[in-house]
Amino acid sequence: MDPKLGRMTLKEWVAIESDSVQPVPRFRQELFRMMAVAADTLQRLGARVTSVDMGSQQLPDGQSLPIPPVILAELGNDPTKGTVCFYGHLDVQPADQGDGWLTDPYVLTEVDGKLYGRGTTDNKGPVLAWINAVSAFRALEQDLPVNIKFIIEGMEEAGSVALEELVEKEKNRFFSGVDYIVISDNLWISQRKPAITYGTRGNSYFTVEVKCRDQDFHSGTFGGILHEPMADLVALLGSLVDSSGHILVPGIYDEVAPLTEEEINTYKAIHLDLEEYRNSSRVEKFLFDTKEEILMHLWRYPSLSIHGIEGAFDEPGAKTVIPGQVIGKFSIRLVPHMNVSVVEKQVTRHLEDVFSKRNSSNKMVVSMTLGLHPWIANINDTQYLAAKRAIRTVFGTEPDMIRDGSTIPIAKMFQEIVHKSVVLIPLGAVDDGEHSQNEKINRWNYIEGTKLFAAFFLEMAQLH
Ligand SMILES: NCCCC(=O)N[C@@H](Cc1c[nH]cn1)C(=O)O
Ligand SMILES: [Zn+2]
Ligand SMILES: [Zn+2]
């Protein structure tokens, strides 16, 4: 660690096991350590840092665990300069070498210019790239071209617990002087071509419980005379989507934004090598054959995914029970202009219809457990122009203007609550494997990304 600037290396950050998904005291301690280390790094850079106490999290089993603090940091307070606020997170997805990692996930390991380790791309690497860009100005003893604020959390992978309340609370304080918000928590669509992201899908997550009784049955003793909960559930889940990926819930496509010629042209302009994409995804065949169809079905059409069944037998072996109650889990990625509560009603009505036709004596309960809105930005906002210019300077190319099929709830929260322009500037390559085994960031992406952020500050100063 550089004692003067307090600059931490990615290796030191990756070594902290800041897993927010597994609710156990050891990982919570690691999360607190992670946030303390980051706060210290920012303080040493000269930032005014507040670590906001976020209270505790109630778990379904009655346990409660402390939530790691959110860092609010400020560098510079010059009213003649624009203020850019960067959001990032320092918690990570679970990682266990036994799950198929080729190296220890918490030991940063370089192989062929690739830096492997949990959190390298999601999201410790990009957060450090921002901090390093700021420290480059410090090292050169140059004034920062813009005022910079950081909001860094430690519970993103667990659903950004309590963050919305904090954003509401800080709306007229921490966020009052902010002009632009930048997030670097997604990936390019290519291995080498940088991108700017201007939209994400939302997500509505459902559970459907089918219950006969609260105990399992012997299938020799009861098989043949029961309405089996699993049979009901499989029929319900099977009624949701057809083999071409078309969602079968009546009305679900009604509010999807109409497709224009201009929009189709934006997909045509994107460089995507479908073969490379398919091979790096290790998929034999996608549902669609053209680049435009693939992009549209990832970004501008809803999709329905079935995730799992709680209560079902899922171990090796030939257990012969009939589960007494099962819970199916599925989600629908939402796109402009779909509405979360309308989708909730449509899905509930559809499942009730299908269930009633089965004349089952079981009880069915449908719940929407998560309702996250889609987000789309105006790509003519100043910071989109600044990001494009910075990409030209550092990479010598035009960026891909992309959307993201997944959900970054904070983007919509910032847009709705803080009413400021939000841009996503990803650093990582398409094959970084966020959330997966062998997550990595390329050394090249990490270093050029740091330069990109420094160039972005300079462009923002010119354009503001
Ligand atoms: N490339 C960005 C990834 C961010 C991410 O994985 N977000 C989650 C958020 C979410 C949605 N529903 C529940 N959590 C995602 O699955 O999209
Ligand atoms: Zn992330
Ligand atoms: Zn993540």
Side-chain angles (χ1 to χ4, degrees):
M1 184 164 118
D2 176 338
K4 192 157 153 249
L5 293 173
R7 193 165 57 224
M8 296 288 290
T9 66
L10 187 53
K11 193 176 181 76
E12 287 165 295
W13 280 26
V14 166
I16 303 176
E17 300 184 32
S18 50
D19 171 345
S20 62
V21 178
Q22 300 183 69
V24 292
R26 183 172 84 79
F27 288 129
R28 281 306 152 96
Q29 278 167 16
E30 284 289 87
L31 274 162
F32 274 74
R33 190 158 73 90
M34 183 71 250
M35 302 316 285
V37 161
D40 186 57
T41 305
L42 285 163
Q43 239 149 18
R44 284 166 191 257
L45 260 186
R48 270 177 291 131
V49 180
T50 312
S51 291
V52 183
D53 180 355
M54 300 295 284
S56 56
Q57 180 189 20
Q58 282 313 119
L59 300 173
D61 65 0
Q63 232 199 117
S64 124
L65 280 175
I67 301 173
V70 169
I71 296 174
L72 299 178
E74 300 176 51
L75 276 141
N77 191 16
D78 183 340
T80 65
K81 293 179 183 171
T83 300
V84 178
C85 175
F86 172 78
Y87 160 87
H89 67 89
L90 295 177
D91 58 317
V92 295
Q93 284 281 322
D96 190 300
Q97 193 160 2
D99 289 342
W101 281 76
L102 299 173
T103 58
D104 183 334
Y106 293 109
V107 176
L108 188 84
T109 309
E110 181 166 2
V111 182
D112 296 336
K114 296 171 180 153
L115 307 171
Y116 289 93
R118 179 53 93 220
T120 47
T121 201
D122 182 18
N123 187 225
K124 291 178 179 180
V127 172
L128 264 176
W130 261 75
I131 292 178
N132 291 342
V134 172
S135 73
F137 284 91
R138 288 276 182 271
L140 294 168
E141 295 181 0
Q142 281 185 16
D143 268 354
L144 280 168
V146 284
N147 303 313
I148 295 178
K149 294 192 178 192
F150 286 88
I151 171 166
I152 302 177
E153 68 157 321
M155 288 298 280
E156 192 272 349
E157 302 292 5
S160 292
V161 181
L163 189 66
E164 185 163 0
E165 291 85 331
L166 179 71
V167 174
E168 279 283 2
K169 212 172 98 201
E170 292 294 334
K171 182 177 159 181
N172 299 318
R173 238 178 346 192
F174 181 76
F175 291 107
S176 69
V178 169
D179 299 301
Y180 311 98
I181 292 169
V182 185
I183 303 171
S184 301
D185 192 19
N186 66 318
L187 301 176
W188 300 346
I189 195 165
S190 135
Q191 293 196 12
R192 295 291 290 187
K193 192 160 184 239
I196 298 174
T197 307
Y198 62 92
T200 59
R201 289 194 289 189
N203 200 12
S204 50
Y205 200 104
F206 289 89
T207 60
V208 49
E209 182 185 69
V210 182
K211 181 171 180 178
C212 178
R213 67 173 197 191
D214 53 13
Q215 247 180 287
D216 293 345
F217 298 91
H218 189 304
S219 63
T221 317
F222 286 93
I225 61 165
L226 284 183
H227 291 121
E228 295 195 11
M230 188 69 111
D232 283 343
L233 182 61
V234 168
L236 289 165
L237 295 177
S239 76
L240 292 169
V241 63
D242 73 15
S243 58
S244 64
H246 188 81
I247 305 173
L248 300 172
V249 176
I252 202 87
Y253 291 98
D254 287 358
E255 303 304 321
V256 172
L259 180 63
T260 64
E261 200 57 39
E262 192 189 352
E263 191 188 327
I264 295 182
N265 289 334
T266 64
Y267 304 126
K268 287 191 176 145
I270 289 168
H271 170 78
L272 175 72
D273 182 336
L274 261 193
E275 268 315 283
E276 179 195 291
Y277 183 59
R278 199 182 50 71
N279 283 329
S280 70
S281 317
R282 283 180 279 127
V283 170
E284 176 99 14
K285 192 173 180 340
F286 288 124
L287 286 173
F288 304 96
D289 295 322
T290 67
K291 173 186 76 176
E292 289 77 12
E293 282 175 307
I294 295 266
L295 294 179
M296 289 194 292
H297 283 88
L298 282 175
W299 297 345
R300 62 109 52 232
Y301 289 124
S303 61
L304 189 147
S305 303
I306 298 171
H307 305 296
I309 298 178
E310 206 176 303
F313 171 56
D314 69 344
E315 302 291 321
K319 192 174 168 187
T320 56
V321 296
I322 299 167
Q325 71 183 99
V326 279
I327 305 174
K329 298 181 183 188
F330 65 93
S331 72
I332 302 179
R333 295 284 172 175
L334 307 180
V335 295
H337 308 290
M338 290 170 84
N339 177 290
V340 171
S341 43
V342 171
V343 168
E344 181 179 17
K345 288 194 190 86
Q346 289 167 332
V347 169
T348 308
R349 194 177 314 127
H350 169 73
L351 289 175
E352 281 168 357
D353 273 1
V354 174
F355 190 65
S356 72
K357 290 191 183 113
R358 289 183 64 79
N359 292 320
S360 171
S361 56
N362 294 324
K363 296 274 168 294
M364 181 191 76
V365 179
V366 181
S367 315
M368 190 179 77
T369 56
L370 205 56
L372 305 169
H373 303 272
W375 163 76
I376 189 128
N378 179 357
I379 60 168
N380 297 317
D381 285 348
T382 307
Q383 56 173 349
Y384 282 82
L385 191 53
K388 273 188 192 173
R389 285 198 197 181
I391 285 172
R392 273 184 219 131
T393 305
V394 174
F395 293 92
T397 181
E398 289 297 314
D400 280 330
M401 296 301 293
I402 65 172
R403 284 157 74 166
D404 198 299
S406 54
T407 309
I408 300 188
I410 191 73
K412 183 70 179 177
M413 276 180 217
F414 283 139
Q415 191 182 49
E416 295 275 287
I417 301 170
V418 184
H419 302 295
K420 293 289 148 64
S421 166
V422 179
V423 66
L424 266 55
I425 309 181
L427 285 195
V430 67
D431 61 346
D432 276 0
E434 51 178 4
H435 293 203
S436 185
Q437 292 90 342
N438 305 310
E439 176 182 346
K440 57 95 177 157
I441 191 165
N442 300 326
R443 173 182 275 275
W444 180 76
N445 287 64
Y446 183 45
I447 293 173
E448 297 308 297
T450 300
K451 292 183 199 167
L452 171 62
F453 290 148
F456 176 71
F457 299 157
L458 292 165
E459 295 293 350
M460 282 307 304
Q462 288 219 338
L463 288 172
H464 177 66

